[in-house]
């Protein structure tokens, strides 16, 4: 089993379907960030999706089918790093119960479960990564996904990484721990409620005056940035009132030596 | 089959083989709640029940009647419902009327005087069986001599409490006194005057029970 | 001054009825689009959340007490049938009459039967969500018996011909100005005042007259203790004590799950309940009733009855996972912390129990046909599970209910109405999704097509684009970028 005390040489990178298709830049930046710490990053090409969309929508058979594929992709005893708290939470906490009636896969899921890390958790808890700030003064606001916070319990690691950046001020938004309203298919099945939640979330983020929002979850970003952009269109703004990016992208840019002034 | 039998049959068909060990309630209290001196318990009791808008007066074993009289005078109350079958009720009934305070007794079943109880009984006086420090709570066990409605209907309820009877927790009180071996018709925990926050979360006192709760706490002789 | 007669014809019976979940989205939309209500719920929930947080300053104490609470509830549920019999034996020994009801109709018949035996005209009611669940007021009215709510919040919603919008704070959706108007228009002789103290004193005055003359007092039960045969009630106002002490007959009604074996199980649960619910270290009154009036006692009801109601609870009990629903002690913390409840309030749910607990308990009471969509109204954010004092895994149960609803109807279902939300097309879409995401080759192809033909993504995407810009795949996938690396 992977030991936390040893500094890993190799990791698997599980990108998630959202990063692969919608936020590939965030995935690249996460990989680069890991490589800069002297780690070989392996990207199993057969990876697709953790299966959470089907699982949380009430289609466990379909989720199992997709999850079963991912179970086969990480044969070596390396950490599996996931740039999303919610997909990491799916693999770590729900795979073992999803395969409760399939002893072989259940055992595999339980083994995998001990090796799954959310990216910021991995950077802080395993690599003890302390980013050195090469950028200029700026204020950001951090949104942490509900899965990272309540399922993975890693809501403090992203905050710690940002806190280590000398010239970055992290603003505090109102109702920080409240859900942004994404919730996968919830955003489509209950658009009124989800819409009200993201509206309030974006208002709270903007009210901090931060120049951008960062998050370790692309699902939340898709929702938050999508609403902010829609609002900009509605109100005739041409520059985004709330830009945002994955925390990996932000960290990589802040720590890039070429940014040093 | 009756509804009872059908419900029980459905439940029995699904009952787990074992419920496991009894929950360790005593263990939790042992690790999370400590022992305290009577003075500390009295202080905590007073702090919490005052937060809940009760008035507390420290009195001596011999001197509580004087304080009772003062409280009634200050509130301009000239009638106090008492339980003459209790030592404190008997004392109040013998010593207060000469000071101008009428002390009717709760001697008849409520049916014969309900209207008077509801409409013409401004205050009552009872004893507490004990109290709980961590929540600022009085323990009342109404008796045939000191019935249930005494602590509920009159707008002002005055309670005599012996500070040596304060427990740290509700759990400690029920364990020390062996409540599980027999509870009276009605036993009560009272932690302040009646209140409600049902209108716009605004706290208001005197919802349906007493508007004022006064505790005369007998401490060390002064 | 006298209370309005609850049997007045202006008391529209249909207004009291359960609303099926088909109208849920429309009702939710109405609230979401009302900035005043939005702000008012947000303020109320913020208030309750901060009150709770202040009660649990020590995280270790909180977590260990939650562990104990969960353990106590699971232990007692595991022995439920045995404990119900023990409770019945001990209550009966103490002189309390025990009745069993499988359905709301049976429960109403039992209660109204007792009322009729006593030729009762007026029943005063303490706060009881189970009596709301069986729509007792409606049944009593139909039988010509006045049923008057006496909890201030319940009295207000009854005057307004509404239902409670929160299980602990029934009138949380109303402002003091609305209540002032309601009292002024409905209580004879009352001038308009929006002073809260004055409003409460009006309610007190009206209801005191009723406590004095009522024939029957009805209450709920927070904990029923099997070993002593004791009914425990938690309240602040004193109306619960009035209902259980002043009238000649007291009828208590409770769900079969509210039982504990040992008296010592009560203190931890009581502490969790009041601190989680309203952020009080204890409620003003904790009322333990173990018998009717005994010879020589001068007050208290001569008769005490307990009605034990199933209404779908045994269905939840039969499934190991769903059984956890019954751990609930009805504190309402899940709704206070729920971002969905905060946005839409309690009435939009259309069920007696709103919020997260309502979503997981109502399907057992009403069947999944009527509640098929309730479980979808959650982002699964987990705030409810995080605060539940007895650790009910509410998000997991919501996922399970989605499965029960959307899976094609099958034999021996765990729930009434299983498959009610089944839709052949939706299921086919998910099967197709699984086929693509379960096959590396298919996924490669489909995701490649997605990036290549990203401009084909529609501008309108179901509910997503109502408040968001359309989703569009990136021109190159991560796997493409990796391959292109130097």
């Amino acid at each position: 089993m992977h030991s936390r005390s040893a500094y890993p040489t190799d990791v698997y990178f599980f990108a998630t379907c959202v990063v692969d298709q919608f936020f590939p830049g965030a995935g690249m930046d996460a990989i680069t960030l890991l490589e800069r710490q002297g780690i070989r990053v392996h990207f199993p090409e057969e990876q697709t999706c953790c299966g959470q969309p089907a699982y949380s929508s009430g289609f466990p058979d379909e989720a199992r089918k997709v999850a079963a594929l991912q179970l086969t992709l990480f044969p070596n005893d390396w950490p599996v790093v996931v740039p999303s708290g919610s997909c990491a939470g799916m693999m770590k906490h729900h795979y073992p119960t999803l395969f409760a009636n399939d002893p072989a896969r259940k055992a595999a899921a339980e083994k995998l479960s001990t090796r799954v890390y959310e990216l910021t958790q991995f950077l802080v808890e395993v690599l003890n990564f302390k980013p050195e700030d090469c950028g200029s003064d700026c204020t950001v606001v951090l949104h942490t996904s509900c899965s990272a916070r309540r399922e993975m319990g890693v809501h403090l690691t992203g905050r710690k990484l940002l806190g280590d950046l000398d010239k970055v001020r992290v603003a505090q938004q109102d109702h920080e721990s409240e859900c942004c309203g994404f919730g996968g298919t919830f955003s489509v099945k209950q658009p009124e409620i989800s819409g009200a939640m993201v509206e309030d979330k974006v208002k709270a983020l903007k009210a901090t005056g931060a120049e951008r929002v960062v998050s370790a979850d692309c699902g939340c970003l898709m929702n938050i940035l999508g609403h902010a952009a829609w609002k900009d269109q509605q109100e005739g703004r041409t520059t985004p009132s709330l830009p945002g990016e994955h925390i990996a992208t932000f960290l990589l840019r802040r720590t890039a030596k070429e940014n040093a002034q | 089959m009756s509804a009872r039998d059908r419900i029980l049959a459905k439940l029995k068909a699904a009952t787990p083989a074992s419920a496991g060990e009894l929950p360790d309630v005593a263990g939790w209290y042992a690790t999370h709640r400590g022992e305290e001196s009577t003075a500390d318990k009295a202080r905590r009791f007073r702090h919490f029940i005052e937060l809940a808008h009760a008035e507390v007066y420290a009195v001596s074993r011999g001197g509580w009647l004087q304080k009772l009289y003062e409280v009634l005078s200050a509130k301009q109350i000239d009638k106090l419902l008492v339980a003459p079958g209790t030592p404190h009720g008997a004392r109040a009934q013998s010593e207060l009327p000469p000071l101008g305070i009428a002390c009717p007794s709760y001697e008849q079943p409520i049916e014969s005087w309900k209207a008077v109880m509801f409409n013409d009984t401004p205050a009552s006086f009872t004893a507490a069986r004990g109290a709980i420090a961590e929540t600022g709570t009085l323990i009342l066990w109404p008796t045939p001599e000191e019935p249930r409605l005494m602590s509920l209907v009159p707008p002002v309820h005055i309670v005599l409490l012996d500070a040596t009877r304060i427990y740290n927790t509700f759990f400690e009180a029920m364990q020390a006194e062996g409540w599980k071996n027999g509870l009276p018709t009605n036993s009560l925990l009272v932690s302040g005057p009646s209140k409600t926050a049902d209108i716009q979360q605004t706290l208001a006192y005197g919802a349906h029970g007493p508007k004022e709760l006064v505790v005369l706490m007998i401490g060390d002789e002064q | 001054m006298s209370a309005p007669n609850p049997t007045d014809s202006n008391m529209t019976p249909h207004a009291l009825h359960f609303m099926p979940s088909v109208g849920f989205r429309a009702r939710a939309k109405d609230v979401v689009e009302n900035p005043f209500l939005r702000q008012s719920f947000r303020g109320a929930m913020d208030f309750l959340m901060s009150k709770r947080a202040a009660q649990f300053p020590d995280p270790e104490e909180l977590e260990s007490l939650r562990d104990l609470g969960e353990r106590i509830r699971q232990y007692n549920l595991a022995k439920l049938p045995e404990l119900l019999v023990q409770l019945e034996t001990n209550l009966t020994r103490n002189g309390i009459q025990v009745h069993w009801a499988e359905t709301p109709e049976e429960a109403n018949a039992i209660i109204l039967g007792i009322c009729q035996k006593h030729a009762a005209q007026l029943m005063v009611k303490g706060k009881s969500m189970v009596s709301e669940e069986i729509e007792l007021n409606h049944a009593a009215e139909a039988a010509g018996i006045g049923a008057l709510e006496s909890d201030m919040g319940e009295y207000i919603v009854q005057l307004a011909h509404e239902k409670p919008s929160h299980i602990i704070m029934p009138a949380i959706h109303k402002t003091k100005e609305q209540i002032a108007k309601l009292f002024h228009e409905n209580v004879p002789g009352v001038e308009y005042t929006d002073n809260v103290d004055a409003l409460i004193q009006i309610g007190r005055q009206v209801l005191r007259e009723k406590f004095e003359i009522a024939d029957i007092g009805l209450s709920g039960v927070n904990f029923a203790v099997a070993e002593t045969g004791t009914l425990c009630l938690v309240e602040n106002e004193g109306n619960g004590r009035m209902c259980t002490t002043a009238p000649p007959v007291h009828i208590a009604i409770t769900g079969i799950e509210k039982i504990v074996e040992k008296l010592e199980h009560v203190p931890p649960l009581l502490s969790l309940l009041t601190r989680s619910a309203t952020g009080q270290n204890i409620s003003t009154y904790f009322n333990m009733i173990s018998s009717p009036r005994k010879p020589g006692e001068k007050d208290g009801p001569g008769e005490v009855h307990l009605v034990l109601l199933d209404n779908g609870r045994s269905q939840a009990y039969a499934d190991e996972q769903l059984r956890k629903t019954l751990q609930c002690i009805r504190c309402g913390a899940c709704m206070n912390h729920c971002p969905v409840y905060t946005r839409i309030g309690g009435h939009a749910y259309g069920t007696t129990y709103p919020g997260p607990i309502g979503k997981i308990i109502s399907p057992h009471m009403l069947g999944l046909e009527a509640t098929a969509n309730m479980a979808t109204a959650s982002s699964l954010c987990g705030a409810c599970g995080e605060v539940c004092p007895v650790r009910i895994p509410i998000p997991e149960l919501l996922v399970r209910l989605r499965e029960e609803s959307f899976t094609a109807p099958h034999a021996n279902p765990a729930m009434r109405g299983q498959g009610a939300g089944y839709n052949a097309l939706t299921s086919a879409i998910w099967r197709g999704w699984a086929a693509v995401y379960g096959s590396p080759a298919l996924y490669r192809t489909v995701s490649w097509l997605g990036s290549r033909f990203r401009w084909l993504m529609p501008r309108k995407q179901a509910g997503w684009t109502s408040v968001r810009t359309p989703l569009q795949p990136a021109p190159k996938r991560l796997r493409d970028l990796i391959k292109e690396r130097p």
Side-chain angles (χ1 to χ4, degrees):
Chain A
M1 192 195 285
H2 167 72
S3 148
R4 278 192 180 192
S5 54
Y7 198 89
T9 53
D10 297 82
V11 300
Y12 288 114
F13 190 71
F14 184 79
T16 81
C17 58
V18 172
V19 165
D20 189 29
Q21 296 175 60
F22 293 90
F23 289 83
M28 279 313 294
D29 295 339
I31 290 170
T32 310
L33 205 53
L34 289 166
E35 287 173 341
R36 280 208 190 157
Q37 312 315 310
I39 291 169
R40 277 190 297 274
V41 180
H42 303 263
F43 181 89
E45 260 208 280
E46 294 78 17
Q47 63 177 274
T48 60
C49 165
C50 65
Q52 179 173 231
Y55 171 77
S56 61
S57 298
F59 292 87
D61 289 341
E62 286 72 11
R64 254 187 293 276
K65 183 168 179 188
V66 173
L69 167 65
Q70 320 311 318
L71 272 185
T72 64
L73 302 180
F74 312 103
N76 292 316
D77 197 20
W78 301 329
V80 178
V81 180
V82 188
S84 154
S86 93
C87 308
M90 176 70 193
M91 298 169 86
K92 193 173 179 68
H93 297 291
H94 298 302
Y95 275 15
T97 49
L98 201 55
F99 294 109
N101 298 321
D102 181 342
R105 288 204 176 95
K106 182 169 189 275
E110 278 168 354
K111 247 181 108 186
L112 176 66
S113 160
T114 63
R115 296 193 273 138
V116 170
Y117 294 89
E118 185 270 339
L119 174 69
T120 64
Q121 174 194 24
F122 186 75
L123 289 171
V124 171
E125 292 179 3
V126 180
L127 302 188
N128 196 22
F129 173 56
K130 293 207 169 60
E132 193 185 328
D133 200 351
C134 302
S136 49
D137 288 339
C138 83
T139 301
V140 298
V141 58
L142 173 71
H143 172 76
T144 304
S145 76
C146 298
S147 316
R149 180 183 302 280
R150 303 195 179 92
E151 203 162 65
M152 295 292 287
V154 298
H155 52 291
L156 298 177
T157 47
R159 192 158 285 280
K160 165 145 193 340
L161 290 168
L162 295 183
D164 285 341
L165 296 168
D166 297 337
K167 293 182 177 168
V168 173
R169 192 180 78 84
V170 183
Q172 181 64 50
Q173 69 273 43
D174 196 27
H175 291 92
E176 187 212 335
S177 63
E178 194 177 74
C179 178
C180 72
F182 177 53
T185 48
F186 167 71
S187 58
V188 180
K189 287 198 170 178
Q190 301 288 346
E192 295 82 14
I193 302 169
S194 170
M197 287 164 69
V198 73
E199 178 190 9
D200 290 346
K201 181 57 72 182
V202 167
K203 272 186 195 159
L205 293 170
K206 281 187 190 174
T208 63
E211 50 208 75
R212 66 182 64 242
V213 55
V214 296
S215 175
D217 265 81
C218 287
C220 307
L221 278 176
M222 212 153 70
N223 183 43
I224 290 169
L225 300 180
H227 175 70
W230 178 84
K231 195 86 182 155
D232 288 342
Q233 279 178 10
Q234 296 289 305
E235 292 169 3
R237 276 186 294 271
T238 49
T239 50
S241 55
L242 184 69
E245 63 199 0
H246 194 275
I247 193 167
T249 302
F250 183 71
L251 284 172
L252 189 68
R253 195 173 60 249
R254 294 300 299 192
T255 54
K257 292 285 186 275
E258 56 270 26
N259 283 350
Q261 294 171 352
Chain B
M1 266 202 338
S2 64
R4 175 188 188 277
D5 295 341
R6 280 192 299 271
I7 292 169
L8 287 174
K10 277 190 270 185
L11 297 177
K12 279 178 187 159
T15 304
S18 162
E21 295 282 300
L22 251 175
D24 187 12
V25 178
W28 190 88
Y29 280 93
T31 49
H32 290 86
R33 298 290 183 267
E35 291 284 310
E36 278 187 344
S37 68
T38 297
D40 284 342
K41 283 188 281 194
R43 214 170 4 255
R44 282 221 293 161
F45 163 79
R46 181 175 189 147
H47 169 74
F48 283 114
I49 202 164
E50 282 180 346
L51 274 184
H53 253 229
E55 294 170 41
V56 181
Y57 300 98
V59 294
S60 65
R61 211 163 292 280
W64 58 261
L65 195 108
Q66 177 61 27
K67 180 52 79 178
L68 174 59
Y69 172 69
E70 287 169 22
V71 167
L72 292 166
S73 303
K75 295 183 188 294
Q76 297 181 324
I77 294 168
D78 60 4
K79 192 154 97 172
L80 182 69
L81 179 65
V82 300
T86 63
H88 51 277
R91 186 174 169 203
Q93 199 172 46
S94 78
E95 297 184 31
L96 285 177
L99 300 170
I101 292 169
C103 285
S105 334
Y106 197 151
E107 277 173 331
Q108 295 302 314
I110 189 64
E111 286 72 20
S112 61
W113 66 292
K114 216 173 192 176
V116 176
M117 168 65 104
F118 270 85
N119 303 302
D120 197 17
T121 305
S124 66
F125 178 54
T126 75
R129 176 186 176 88
I132 298 165
E134 76 164 350
T135 48
T137 298
L138 295 164
I139 301 168
L140 305 183
W141 279 26
T143 59
E145 293 73 35
E146 204 165 75
R148 296 162 71 171
L149 289 173
M150 282 187 85
S151 61
L152 178 61
V153 178
V156 177
H157 178 208
I158 304 170
V159 185
L160 189 63
L161 168 69
D162 183 339
T164 62
R165 305 271 308 168
I166 303 178
Y167 297 96
N168 208 340
T169 64
F170 180 22
F171 175 73
E172 185 191 323
M174 66 167 59
Q175 293 299 105
E177 298 186 0
W179 289 15
K180 68 177 177 185
N181 301 319
L183 281 166
T185 300
N186 183 220
S187 41
L188 292 161
L189 304 183
V190 175
S191 307
S194 154
K195 66 176 181 241
T196 184
D198 272 356
I199 300 181
Q200 245 181 263
Q201 301 95 55
T202 307
L203 199 50
Y205 291 91
H208 295 294
K211 298 177 179 184
E212 295 176 55
L213 177 69
V214 181
V215 181
L216 305 180
M217 185 163 66
I218 301 173
D220 300 329
E221 290 295 335
Q222 291 163 353
Chain C
M1 197 157 55
S2 71
N5 182 355
T7 57
D8 280 355
S9 56
N10 67 351
M11 194 105 178
T12 43
H14 59 266
L16 296 170
H17 269 305
F18 159 72
M19 292 178 283
S21 75
V22 285
F24 174 77
R25 267 185 68 184
R27 291 193 297 271
K29 187 165 185 277
D30 283 346
V31 184
V32 156
E33 290 176 353
N34 180 332
F36 175 78
L37 274 180
R38 278 271 287 280
Q39 191 46 47
S40 139
F41 281 122
R42 168 65 101 183
M45 297 305 114
D46 283 352
F47 172 76
L48 289 166
M49 286 194 285
S50 68
K51 291 258 291 173
R52 174 191 175 271
Q55 277 297 327
F56 292 112
D58 175 358
E60 189 284 326
E61 196 236 23
L62 167 62
E63 297 313 321
S64 67
L65 190 55
R66 289 175 76 215
D67 286 341
L68 181 62
E70 177 191 32
R71 176 77 199 106
I72 291 173
R73 291 301 296 133
Q74 290 186 345
Y75 170 85
N76 286 294
L77 286 172
K79 296 181 77 169
L80 186 56
E82 179 190 328
L83 296 184
L84 282 165
V85 172
Q86 189 189 0
L87 177 73
E88 179 185 47
T89 304
N90 288 331
L91 286 173
T92 307
R93 184 202 62 207
N94 294 351
I96 295 176
Q97 301 173 49
V98 179
H99 312 263
W100 303 69
E102 277 191 288
T103 63
E105 293 72 28
E106 286 177 21
N108 283 325
I110 291 164
I111 294 168
L112 298 178
I114 298 166
C115 292
Q116 277 150 357
K117 200 181 94 192
H118 292 272
Q121 302 281 306
L122 177 64
M123 163 167 42
V124 284
K125 294 181 64 201
K127 194 166 160 27
S128 157
M129 287 309 293
V130 177
S131 81
E132 296 281 350
E133 180 186 326
I134 63 173
E135 303 197 329
L136 173 62
N137 294 1
H138 182 61
E141 183 190 349
I145 298 163
L148 184 65
E149 296 290 350
S150 66
D151 171 89
M152 289 295 179
E154 293 274 356
Y155 174 64
I156 291 163
V157 297
Q158 188 181 31
L159 270 188
H161 311 306
E162 292 174 359
K163 295 184 95 176
S165 63
H166 188 285
I167 66 169
I168 301 292
M169 313 281 269
I172 204 158
H173 57 292
K174 287 214 157 340
T175 62
K176 61 184 181 186
E177 291 81 9
Q178 290 170 324
I179 294 163
K181 191 159 170 283
L182 197 62
F183 279 18
H184 174 58
E185 288 170 0
N186 289 277
V187 185
V190 165
E191 293 299 312
Y192 180 94
T193 171
D194 58 17
N195 176 293
V196 171
D197 281 315
L199 290 169
I200 293 298
Q201 290 312 305
I202 292 165
R204 175 184 174 100
Q205 194 55 42
V206 168
L207 289 160
R208 281 212 150 203
E209 292 172 17
K210 300 301 175 183
F211 291 132
E212 191 187 327
I213 61 164
D215 309 294
I216 306 275
L218 187 121
S219 79
V221 175
N222 291 92
F223 314 109
V225 184
E227 70 172 348
T228 55
T230 301
L231 308 177
C232 303
L233 280 79
V234 176
E235 58 147 345
N236 284 315
E237 294 185 359
N239 67 308
R241 288 182 63 198
M242 285 285 188
C243 292
T244 58
T245 317
V249 178
H250 167 211
I251 306 172
I253 178 163
T254 185
I256 51 174
E257 81 281 20
K258 292 262 187 84
I259 193 165
V260 293
E261 179 179 23
K262 306 285 185 192
L263 189 63
E264 68 175 35
H265 294 165
V266 169
L269 293 180
L270 173 64
S271 182
L272 283 166
L273 173 59
T274 62
R275 290 157 90 189
S276 303
T278 48
Q280 293 175 264
N281 63 358
I282 194 167
S283 54
T284 302
Y285 300 114
F286 186 66
N287 183 3
M288 291 169 273
I289 297 163
S290 302
S291 102
R293 187 191 304 195
K294 289 181 189 137
E297 292 178 345
K298 301 186 188 80
D299 58 20
E303 267 183 38
V304 179
H305 299 263
L306 175 69
V307 181
L308 291 164
L309 176 70
D310 180 345
N311 195 25
R313 290 164 174 83
S314 57
Q315 172 183 288
Y317 189 82
D319 181 281
E320 196 183 336
Q321 185 183 29
L322 299 171
R323 186 182 306 143
K324 294 177 183 175
T325 311
L326 304 179
Q327 288 166 215
C328 179
I329 56 173
R330 302 286 189 271
C331 71
C334 59
M335 52 198 80
N336 300 343
H337 291 74
C338 176
V340 173
Y341 180 93
T342 301
R343 296 304 179 301
I344 65 175
H347 286 152
Y349 293 83
T351 48
T352 300
Y353 303 93
I357 182 61
K359 288 178 200 169
I360 61 170
I361 190 80
S362 305
H364 297 289
M365 295 169 174
L366 302 162
L368 268 172
E369 300 92 340
T371 54
N373 295 315
M374 276 184 88
T376 67
S378 166
S379 65
L380 302 178
C381 78
C384 49
E386 186 180 33
V387 296
C388 177
V390 290
R391 295 196 188 279
I392 302 174
I394 301 174
E396 263 175 46
L397 292 169
L398 287 169
V399 169
R400 169 69 188 277
L401 292 172
R402 291 177 182 184
E403 178 191 346
E404 292 292 334
S405 172
F406 299 138
T407 311
H410 55 75
N412 303 319
M415 300 185 66
R416 185 156 64 92
Q418 183 274 323
Y422 171 72
N423 174 294
L425 178 63
T426 307
S427 291
I429 290 171
W430 279 111
R431 276 198 302 279
W433 177 88
V436 171
Y437 283 80
S439 150
L442 267 178
Y443 173 78
R444 256 196 306 274
T445 310
V446 172
S447 61
W448 181 83
L449 289 170
S451 61
R452 214 33 61 97
F453 297 99
R454 55 200 290 269
W455 46 273
L456 280 177
M457 285 296 278
R459 301 296 302 162
K460 285 218 181 303
Q461 299 168 354
W464 181 263
T465 44
S466 59
V467 293
R468 301 170 196 86
T469 50
L471 288 174
Q472 197 177 41
K476 285 178 181 171
R477 299 165 302 173
L478 175 62
R479 57 195 66 223
D480 304 321
L481 297 182
I482 291 174
K483 285 208 181 100
E484 289 172 10
R485 283 181 112 187

